[in-house]
Amino acid sequence: MSLLALLDYAAVLVFAITGALVASRAQLDIVGFAFIACLTAVGGGTIRDLLLDRNPIFWIEKPSMLGVAIVAALVVFFTAHFLESRFRTLIWLDSLALAVAVAAGVGVAMSQEQSAAIIIVMGMITGCMGGLMRDVVVGQLPLVLTQGELYATAALSGAAVAVLLAPYTQGTLYPLLACAVTTWVLRAGSLYFGWHLPVYKSTPPKS
Amino acid sequence: MSLLALLDYAAVLVFAITGALVASRAQLDIVGFAFIACLTAVGGGTIRDLLLDRNPIFWIEKPSMLGVAIVAALVVFFTAHFLESRFRTLIWLDSLALAVAVAAGVGVAMSQEQSAAIIIVMGMITGCMGGLMRDVVVGQLPLVLTQGELYATAALSGAAVAVLLAPYTQGTLYPLLACAVTTWVLRAGSLYFGWHLPVYKSTPPKS
Amino acid sequence: MSLLALLDYAAVLVFAITGALVASRAQLDIVGFAFIACLTAVGGGTIRDLLLDRNPIFWIEKPSMLGVAIVAALVVFFTAHFLESRFRTLIWLDSLALAVAVAAGVGVAMSQEQSAAIIIVMGMITGCMGGLMRDVVVGQLPLVLTQGELYATAALSGAAVAVLLAPYTQGTLYPLLACAVTTWVLRAGSLYFGWHLPVYKSTPPKS
């Protein structure tokens, strides 16, 4: 299996779990779990493939991707009640999925020899859009828009690191690894230590 | 007119009515009615066509599809107040639209000789996504995610029946008919008799 | 720069500002500003390009479009607190962006020699979808669905004027100009004078 396919599988697996956890919070049935798991798992990569005119879409080429997402949904359906906090599990797994999916998006765009700007954007889209659709569909504010956390910033930084490293390495293994690690460390640091950028304050400056 | 075009027209017509009914609940003007009617009517089929790289998109090839949706919106605008319960009308028409649209999605994927998994997914996407967009846009929880009802399950079952029947029949008429009937019976049974699958319960097992 | 590229740039710029203003209301950080600014700025045109199978998508061909959106987001991040009412600024800039984007959508569809119906629909999609995604993502009712205002109607009218004028002019400059002016005048008149179409009333007729 190629590195790109491996990244796509890994992102699909972890995002599917987060989707199923959201379904558990909405108390859906098993098909509802699979539905949201699949939407979350392949959402970002699907938008990436549509935008880059990749044909066929990655999960139409490899329907086993959907199988992975469905199995993940089944496992969550029968085991989620063992978790102490489904929400904490959800945001931590989401951080992992984000890191892998950003790398998957960056890798695909690099394999198409897109420009640096488009590589970074494709990393961000692949990383952020699946979770965004998951949250919008169930009527929650998307994690990517949570105030005072690094999310899009983590994705941006990871993708940028990959772009900066790529000229100095052979192949894309190390840049993509660095991308995933950077993204995850920033996101995890934001969740654990509260790292954040200054947020917009609407108060006017003192005069 | 081919069977596939007929199914697309029928799904467009009924989904357009449901979109217009949602617009009536939001008290929009006549162009707002047409806007949501069109979004609902062609949303699922548009995603299907984008994913399958069908070109042109079905309603760009046959703009009369939009004409059907707009006329439906006009009729609803001037007659919806005669309905006793717009919400009950909405969910029952939605069940009908779901059944026809799943068959339309399955039929298109079959005509492209996609694999069984992709045929089923395209049926579900075509059936569920138009209504999902309709509900998300007006800020309601999508019908497909209503707790304790068969919706995605009905679409899945209908599409699966079509896939199972297809090898034993000539042409796709009977499989698609069986698909629509199965989908509708399950959805209607869920609405009328309360049929449902077990939903996820968050309570931990007794220890 | 061609007229179409100019319209796309202008729509991107103004929509990006509206996206950043929405981000300021959600108190996001600077990357969150850029994220929503880009989504709003290129959302409508991206859907247009996907539907019309234009390849590459306009901002993949010209990544500087994203640069424009990001710079706009930065400027808003550092200056929005000087505004007296960010919401009023938002809806007025949105009206401007709508007018320009409808013309951009109409222009692209005309350059592909699409039918009148598809030209009008592409104008409406390009004009309305970016703002719709902006509002849905942050969990607000989309401006296009605000009760008792002209929005989709303004886009429809502007696009229709362009289609009606096109046979009588050489090139598309005047029809597109008339399109933007018509759209803006109707939208602005609705905001300022309260122009509107009759909205659906659910009360039954007296008997």
Side-chain angles (χ1 to χ4, degrees):
Chain A
M1 186 157 49
S2 73
L3 177 63
L4 289 184
L6 189 71
L7 285 170
D8 268 339
Y9 272 108
V12 159
L13 174 64
V14 192
F15 264 137
I17 299 176
T18 70
L21 285 171
V22 167
S24 81
R25 289 159 56 88
Q27 297 201 284
L28 300 179
D29 63 27
I30 204 160
V31 180
F33 270 61
F35 185 85
I36 302 200
C38 287
L39 180 75
T40 312
V42 304
T46 301
I47 296 178
R48 172 199 67 194
D49 286 2
L50 286 175
L51 293 174
L52 293 178
D53 202 30
R54 286 179 93 205
N55 192 9
I57 304 292
F58 73 106
W59 53 268
I60 294 183
E61 192 175 21
K62 299 196 189 70
S64 56
M65 294 270 180
L66 298 176
V68 168
I70 290 167
V71 168
L74 295 187
V75 170
V76 172
F77 187 80
F78 289 111
T79 63
H81 56 277
F82 293 119
L83 296 171
E84 264 188 42
S85 164
R86 274 175 291 146
F87 184 65
R88 286 203 70 74
T89 312
L90 168 59
I91 56 174
W92 280 97
L93 283 174
D94 184 85
S95 76
L96 212 60
L98 174 72
V100 178
V102 170
V106 165
V108 166
M110 279 184 169
S111 76
Q112 285 201 343
E113 306 193 349
Q114 298 283 348
S115 65
I118 298 303
I119 290 172
I120 291 175
V121 169
M122 288 301 150
M124 294 181 72
I125 286 176
T126 313
C128 300
M129 283 298 175
L132 187 133
M133 285 197 273
R134 171 196 66 205
D135 297 340
V136 164
V137 160
V138 299
Q140 290 177 348
L141 189 74
L143 278 184
V144 64
L145 300 182
T146 312
Q147 194 190 331
E149 288 186 7
L150 302 181
Y151 196 105
T153 310
L156 170 65
S157 308
V161 165
V163 167
L164 291 175
L165 276 186
Y168 306 106
T169 61
Q170 263 202 328
T172 53
L173 177 60
Y174 292 106
L176 295 184
L177 204 64
C179 166
V181 169
T182 306
T183 304
W184 188 77
V185 165
L186 285 175
R187 176 70 184 139
S190 175
L191 289 173
Y192 196 79
F193 299 110
W195 296 350
H196 65 278
L197 293 180
V199 300
Y200 177 81
K201 285 286 196 330
S202 58
T203 44
K206 279 176 190 160
S207 58
Chain B
M1 186 158 48
S2 75
L3 177 63
L4 289 184
L6 188 70
L7 285 170
D8 269 338
Y9 271 108
V12 159
L13 174 64
V14 191
F15 264 135
I17 300 176
T18 71
L21 285 171
V22 167
S24 81
R25 289 159 56 89
Q27 297 201 284
L28 300 179
D29 64 27
I30 205 160
V31 179
F33 271 60
F35 185 85
I36 302 201
C38 287
L39 180 75
T40 312
V42 304
T46 301
I47 296 179
R48 173 197 66 196
D49 285 2
L50 286 174
L51 293 175
L52 293 178
D53 202 30
R54 286 178 93 205
N55 194 7
I57 304 291
F58 73 105
W59 54 267
I60 293 182
E61 192 175 21
K62 298 195 190 71
S64 56
M65 295 270 179
L66 298 176
V68 168
I70 290 166
V71 168
L74 295 187
V75 170
V76 172
F77 187 81
F78 289 111
T79 64
H81 56 277
F82 292 120
L83 295 171
E84 265 189 43
S85 164
R86 273 175 291 145
F87 184 65
R88 288 203 68 75
T89 313
L90 167 59
I91 56 173
W92 280 96
L93 283 175
D94 183 86
S95 75
L96 212 59
L98 174 72
V100 178
V102 170
V106 165
V108 166
M110 279 183 169
S111 76
Q112 285 202 343
E113 306 194 349
Q114 298 283 348
S115 65
I118 298 305
I119 290 172
I120 291 175
V121 169
M122 288 302 151
M124 294 180 72
I125 286 176
T126 313
C128 300
M129 283 298 175
L132 188 131
M133 285 196 274
R134 172 197 64 204
D135 297 340
V136 165
V137 160
V138 298
Q140 290 177 348
L141 188 74
L143 277 185
V144 64
L145 300 181
T146 311
Q147 195 191 332
E149 288 186 7
L150 302 180
Y151 196 105
T153 310
L156 170 64
S157 309
V161 164
V163 168
L164 291 175
L165 276 186
Y168 306 106
T169 60
Q170 262 201 329
T172 53
L173 178 59
Y174 293 105
L176 295 183
L177 204 65
C179 168
V181 169
T182 305
T183 304
W184 188 76
V185 166
L186 286 176
R187 176 72 183 139
S190 176
L191 289 173
Y192 197 78
F193 299 111
W195 297 349
H196 64 279
L197 291 180
V199 300
Y200 176 80
K201 284 286 195 332
S202 59
T203 44
K206 278 177 192 162
S207 57
Chain C
M1 186 156 49
S2 73
L3 177 62
L4 289 185
L6 189 70
L7 285 171
D8 269 338
Y9 271 108
V12 159
L13 175 64
V14 192
F15 263 135
I17 300 176
T18 71
L21 285 171
V22 166
S24 81
R25 289 160 56 90
Q27 296 201 284
L28 299 180
D29 64 27
I30 204 161
V31 180
F33 270 61
F35 185 86
I36 303 201
C38 287
L39 180 75
T40 312
V42 304
T46 302
I47 295 179
R48 172 199 68 195
D49 285 2
L50 286 175
L51 293 174
L52 293 178
D53 201 31
R54 286 179 93 206
N55 192 9
I57 304 291
F58 73 106
W59 54 268
I60 293 182
E61 192 175 20
K62 299 197 190 69
S64 57
M65 294 269 179
L66 298 175
V68 168
I70 290 167
V71 169
L74 294 186
V75 171
V76 171
F77 186 81
F78 290 110
T79 62
H81 56 277
F82 292 120
L83 295 171
E84 263 189 43
S85 164
R86 273 175 291 145
F87 185 65
R88 287 204 68 74
T89 313
L90 168 59
I91 56 174
W92 280 96
L93 283 174
D94 184 86
S95 75
L96 213 59
L98 175 73
V100 179
V102 170
V106 164
V108 166
M110 279 182 169
S111 76
Q112 285 202 344
E113 306 193 348
Q114 298 284 348
S115 64
I118 298 303
I119 290 171
I120 292 175
V121 169
M122 287 302 150
M124 294 180 71
I125 285 176
T126 312
C128 300
M129 284 297 175
L132 188 131
M133 284 195 274
R134 172 196 66 205
D135 297 340
V136 164
V137 160
V138 298
Q140 290 178 348
L141 188 74
L143 278 184
V144 63
L145 300 182
T146 312
Q147 195 190 331
E149 287 185 7
L150 302 181
Y151 196 105
T153 310
L156 169 65
S157 309
V161 164
V163 167
L164 291 175
L165 276 186
Y168 306 106
T169 61
Q170 261 201 330
T172 53
L173 177 59
Y174 292 106
L176 294 184
L177 205 64
C179 167
V181 169
T182 306
T183 303
W184 189 77
V185 165
L186 285 176
R187 175 72 184 139
S190 174
L191 289 173
Y192 197 79
F193 298 111
W195 296 349
H196 64 277
L197 292 181
V199 300
Y200 177 81
K201 284 286 195 335
S202 59
T203 42
K206 279 177 190 159
S207 59

